[in-house]
Amino acid sequence: MSDIKDIIEEIKSRCDIANVISGYINIKPSGSNYKGLCPFHGEKTPSFYINTSKQIYKCFGCGEGGDVINFVMKIENLDFMDAVKSLANTCGMEINTNVDEATKEIMKKSKKFQDIHVEAARFYFSNLIKSKNPGYEYLRKRGLDDKIIKKFGLGYSLDSWDSLINYLISIGYKSEDLIESGLVGYKSESKKIYDKFRNRVMFPIFDYRGNVIGFGGRVLDDSLPKYLNSPDTLIFNKRQNLYGLNFARKEIKDRSIILVEGYMDLISLYQYGIKNVVATLGTALTDGQGSLIKRYADTAIISYDSDEAGIKASMRAIDILTKLGVNVKVLNLKECKDPDEFIRKYGVSGFEKEIQNSINYIKYKIDNLKRNFNIEKDEDRVKFAKEASKIIKQIKSPVEVDYYTKYLSQQIDISIESIKKEIYGKYYKESKNKNNKYIYNKKEQKIIEKPKAIEKGKLLVEENLIKIMLESKKYREIILFKINEEDFLEKDSKEIVSWLIKNKDLDKITIDKIKSLNICEEYIKGLESISLDNLDLNNTKNIDDIIRNIKKNSINEKINLLLREQIDIENNKDIKDAKEVDSKIMEIALKIVELRRELQRL
Ligand SMILES: [Zn+2]
């Protein structure tokens, strides 16, 4: 563990605060939290509270508060490093106590900066809620309610040069530290220090663990800059952080994430219940941020502003994310200028619909490229075709190449053959027989012609899994959690699995029971001949491998059927309209693309 923040975080996550504090004072449960008599000031009725979900304590009598490290520092009267060592000891964690003096100094300082930021966030928050102020009015006008303001810890910096300084100094911080923490500025001519954030709505910036590491402040009038962010400091690097990731990472389903530009977009979406959202911090997406996204998601849906700057930023984000292997889509905001405006106008169902309809980045790139040309003019049309072909050339999947080639051909009325020549150069051979267009080899074509009989190997792997489910109730439950009858190819397999789902609570199921299901004799013979003796079921990887194979087979079969369907459509003389043929084929191609993606995810 070289990262200092990681060490601190590890200590905090291992040493439960209630557990540690109960070693010093008596605490009693109070709801999901605890309370007790404050050890730091004399009192008869408890005003000392422990919040277990946030892992912090706070005394409402004397104001003392902080995390588990602060508590130990205060009660044992230890300096930061010794408190860390003491806690590491209690929770049986080995940390290298031989770190050199310089590292110790950095650890101490970064902890201090974190504390300063927590205090500043509290200060800004109390400014916002304790009396009437333009910051609160602004947020209400933008449609945020009190609950969401509290959730994101939003605040207000007073229209004053020194209110934050005065507060932080009054609770014991030194001005040098305030300057270095980035919240306070210093004028060398007059040797005066001043609050950097004045008369702004304050957005605390969290790291992915939820620590406040910086602020973004938005003006309330027309002055510039509209957004002011904390400078990079020991604890804050805006190129390596994504706003909202601390919330979003718990909400990500299907490894898909929405990327927006601004704080307000993110908070607004969150208030409406769209929570898998992160925002860049006033910069174009960086490689570091891209890698952070890749850690949590395979698909990123870009939802930037619809203006020129937003399109430019989207293009850059596409390049960074696709290079990292993230599947990128772009959301269509219709006539709205940003996601905030969109969700207020169309609601959550409208937004979700656009997520479903969000377009692949290739199409987005082609569409945007097209805006630069007047395709009514032949010359421009050719130029556009050449440029767009370069975009298509980057695609690896042949089905996708076909799809976007057709798309491009429709846009500009240049034949698919010509575009393909442009993409593949002289190596492209024109296919004389149109009917073969979607067949990649003859062998595959054979399989397509006979969708009924499934191959022996494929049948065997299905029978294997069914046999396991018959013999073991325990594995049956696990398996049925991961797979259902639709994933099987063979009709008899489907039949048995759907019966098993209904009867999954039976202990052992004999083959006789299965026979009564009208299963063909061959299949039963196959089942009977399978022995599981050589399969180590305790190794779940073995079962997972079987499940993956079955799913793979069925997806491949679906793809084959779709390819066959494409050929049928091409051969169908009844459909006269070429456009209709094209659009049907494109529709199928898209389904194939999705299935291929599904295959890759297995
Ligand atoms: Zn107290």
Side-chain angles (χ1 to χ4, degrees):
M1 279 192 293
S2 54
D3 187 352
I4 295 143
K5 283 192 210 154
D6 282 339
I7 297 177
I8 296 171
E9 216 46 46
E10 178 78 13
I11 299 238
K12 277 159 69 169
S13 70
R14 285 225 217 166
C15 301
D16 178 68
I17 192 162
N19 216 344
V20 170
I21 294 180
S22 68
Y24 296 91
I25 59 167
N26 273 324
I27 52 173
K28 287 196 178 75
S30 160
S32 61
N33 298 320
Y34 291 92
K35 64 178 177 179
L37 293 173
C38 176
F40 305 119
H41 84 283
E43 63 173 3
K44 298 246 161 56
T45 48
S47 43
F48 180 93
Y49 285 82
I50 302 169
N51 182 327
T52 49
S53 63
K54 288 188 180 154
Q55 289 286 302
I56 52 170
Y57 71 98
K58 176 83 189 163
C59 173
F60 293 97
C62 65
E64 193 53 52
D67 59 25
V68 69
I69 301 175
N70 294 110
F71 182 83
V72 172
M73 281 168 76
K74 179 87 183 170
I75 202 153
E76 297 275 6
N77 203 12
L78 296 174
D79 76 6
F80 169 70
M81 220 28 230
D82 286 332
V84 166
K85 276 188 213 164
S86 155
L87 278 168
N89 211 1
T90 357
C91 63
M93 189 179 139
E94 265 188 51
I95 62 162
N96 184 3
T97 49
N98 297 326
V99 287
D100 58 52
E101 282 305 314
T103 313
K104 272 187 205 168
E105 212 40 52
I106 293 172
M107 286 177 74
K108 230 162 100 179
K109 209 177 231 179
S110 85
K111 172 73 174 111
K112 194 194 281 170
F113 285 4
Q114 275 184 25
D115 291 345
I116 288 174
H117 276 80
V118 170
E119 287 299 341
R122 284 194 187 128
F123 180 72
Y124 293 140
F125 179 70
S126 85
N127 289 343
L128 187 83
I129 54 162
K130 77 178 177 212
S131 56
K132 201 169 143 47
N133 62 83
Y136 185 74
E137 274 166 32
Y138 170 83
L139 292 172
R140 292 309 302 247
K141 215 165 70 197
R142 293 289 303 261
L144 301 189
D145 61 28
D146 287 348
K147 219 175 119 196
I148 205 84
I149 287 173
K150 198 170 170 208
K151 172 99 190 170
F152 283 86
L154 306 185
Y156 172 61
S157 54
L158 301 173
D159 195 3
S160 133
W161 291 89
D162 57 9
S163 62
L164 179 71
I165 294 174
N166 291 339
Y167 171 70
L168 291 174
I169 286 185
S170 79
I171 56 170
Y173 291 104
K174 294 198 181 71
S175 46
E176 308 89 87
D177 290 328
L178 302 187
I179 296 168
E180 212 181 328
S181 75
L183 297 173
V184 166
Y186 174 70
K187 277 204 180 83
S188 52
E189 317 89 67
S190 57
K191 299 208 167 79
K192 275 196 175 148
I193 59 173
Y194 59 93
D195 287 1
K196 276 191 186 162
F197 295 99
R198 297 177 307 278
N199 194 24
R200 284 171 186 265
V201 171
M202 300 301 293
F203 299 84
I205 299 165
F206 304 92
D207 63 13
Y208 74 92
R209 310 175 184 96
N211 299 308
V212 187
I213 52 172
F215 288 94
R218 190 200 189 283
V219 287
L220 295 161
D221 48 29
D222 291 330
S223 58
L224 291 168
K226 192 166 154 196
Y227 279 96
L228 180 68
N229 283 326
S230 287
D232 283 358
T233 64
L234 187 59
I235 59 171
F236 179 51
N237 179 346
K238 62 173 164 293
R239 299 174 60 80
Q240 300 291 340
N241 269 286
L242 284 164
Y243 182 70
L245 185 59
N246 55 315
F247 298 120
R249 72 191 177 107
K250 295 165 198 150
E251 307 285 349
I252 291 168
K253 292 167 200 104
D254 313 328
R255 287 187 60 78
S256 132
I257 209 166
I258 298 164
L259 186 61
V260 297
E261 276 182 291
Y263 307 101
M264 281 304 292
D265 291 327
L266 184 140
I267 296 173
S268 175
L269 291 181
Y270 197 97
Q271 185 170 258
Y272 276 84
I274 310 272
K275 297 182 174 178
N276 55 331
V277 192
V278 293
T280 43
L281 296 159
T283 55
L285 190 79
T286 64
D287 290 327
Q289 290 169 331
S291 308
L292 213 47
I293 288 174
K294 172 79 182 158
R295 206 193 289 172
Y296 297 98
D298 298 322
T299 302
I301 301 154
I302 298 177
S303 181
Y304 282 0
D305 291 0
S306 50
D307 59 6
E308 277 308 316
I311 291 169
K312 224 173 129 191
S314 299
M315 290 294 192
R316 189 182 149 82
I318 286 170
D319 287 344
I320 286 179
L321 290 167
T322 49
K323 217 165 47 193
L324 288 164
V326 177
N327 175 27
V328 184
K329 293 180 173 180
V330 184
L331 198 99
N332 179 3
L333 290 174
K334 299 183 181 167
E335 75 289 352
C336 300
K337 68 175 190 306
D338 58 29
D340 179 30
E341 185 185 327
F342 185 95
I343 199 150
R344 283 174 206 290
K345 190 160 179 188
Y346 295 99
V348 75
S349 62
F351 195 83
E352 273 166 353
K353 206 174 127 209
E354 285 311 315
I355 290 180
Q356 291 305 318
N357 294 338
S358 57
I359 60 170
N360 180 288
Y361 72 95
I362 296 281
K363 206 165 178 179
Y364 180 79
K365 277 185 156 180
I366 294 175
D367 289 350
N368 272 302
L369 182 68
K370 192 175 160 194
R371 300 185 314 142
N372 301 330
F373 297 93
N374 173 11
I375 57 164
E376 300 299 312
K377 283 181 8 203
D378 283 349
E379 199 191 329
D380 265 29
R381 211 157 71 224
V382 172
K383 272 189 203 154
F384 169 58
K386 278 181 186 289
E387 289 300 312
S389 299
K390 282 184 199 159
I391 297 173
I392 297 174
K393 207 173 172 176
Q394 296 161 6
I395 312 172
K396 290 192 187 80
S397 149
V399 181
E400 275 183 85
V401 170
D402 272 352
Y403 176 81
Y404 292 109
T405 307
K406 282 212 166 199
Y407 178 70
L408 180 58
S409 152
Q410 280 189 345
Q411 300 284 307
I412 48 175
D413 207 18
I414 288 180
S415 81
I416 292 172
E417 303 279 296
S418 311
I419 295 171
K420 285 213 162 175
K421 263 187 206 152
E422 191 63 44
I423 296 172
Y424 297 117
K426 59 180 175 177
Y427 300 107
Y428 177 71
K429 284 199 192 75
E430 240 167 281
S431 66
K432 287 276 172 282
N433 185 356
K434 255 195 146 192
N435 299 342
N436 285 334
K437 220 157 50 175
Y438 291 95
I439 304 268
Y440 299 108
N441 63 52
K442 281 186 177 159
K443 215 172 159 194
E444 215 171 40
Q445 196 178 359
K446 249 181 208 163
I447 300 166
I448 297 164
E449 302 285 17
K450 291 181 179 173
K452 301 169 297 276
I454 80 167
E455 286 165 41
K456 211 159 178 173
K458 292 179 181 170
L459 181 64
L460 191 64
V461 59
E462 292 192 353
E463 287 180 331
N464 256 307
L465 194 69
I466 285 173
K467 182 87 172 198
I468 297 171
M469 287 197 277
L470 295 182
E471 302 217 330
S472 156
K473 186 185 170 193
K474 177 180 152 201
Y475 293 114
R476 188 187 312 143
E477 278 177 22
I478 299 171
I479 293 165
L480 289 177
F481 187 72
K482 297 178 177 175
I483 197 166
N484 63 46
E485 74 256 34
E486 277 153 35
D487 294 314
F488 290 82
L489 279 179
E490 177 59 45
K491 182 181 124 297
D492 286 339
S493 305
K494 288 178 195 279
E495 189 87 8
I496 297 174
V497 173
S498 80
W499 184 86
L500 281 172
I501 291 170
K502 284 182 217 126
N503 297 280
K504 60 172 179 271
D505 294 329
L506 295 174
D507 276 336
K508 200 181 154 155
I509 299 168
T510 58
I511 300 260
D512 282 342
K513 273 234 164 67
I514 298 301
K515 277 183 188 160
S516 64
L517 295 176
N518 208 8
I519 302 296
C520 95
E521 222 169 280
E522 285 286 307
Y523 194 98
I524 297 284
K525 263 188 206 157
L527 267 185
E528 279 172 332
S529 69
I530 289 170
S531 157
L532 300 175
D533 292 346
N534 292 325
L535 193 68
D536 176 12
L537 291 178
N538 287 320
N539 183 354
T540 49
K541 199 184 159 290
N542 287 332
I543 293 181
D544 284 342
D545 282 345
I546 299 178
I547 291 175
R548 194 174 310 116
N549 274 328
I550 292 174
K551 288 190 171 176
K552 235 186 235 171
N553 293 340
S554 93
I555 293 174
N556 274 325
E557 179 65 18
K558 279 182 199 156
I559 292 174
N560 285 337
L561 287 173
L562 288 170
L563 288 169
R564 185 189 155 87
E565 205 180 316
Q566 283 186 327
I567 296 168
D568 286 349
I569 289 171
E570 294 231 323
N571 291 342
N572 190 343
K573 302 277 184 305
D574 295 342
I575 312 177
K576 294 258 161 46
D577 185 359
K579 272 221 170 104
E580 197 188 336
V581 172
D582 276 354
S583 90
K584 278 194 171 154
I585 283 177
M586 272 167 70
E587 205 178 288
I588 296 169
L590 209 54
K591 283 186 197 160
I592 296 175
V593 170
E594 280 304 319
L595 286 170
R596 292 237 154 109
R597 290 232 169 86
E598 220 175 287
L599 265 185
Q600 277 169 3
R601 281 197 293 267
L602 281 178

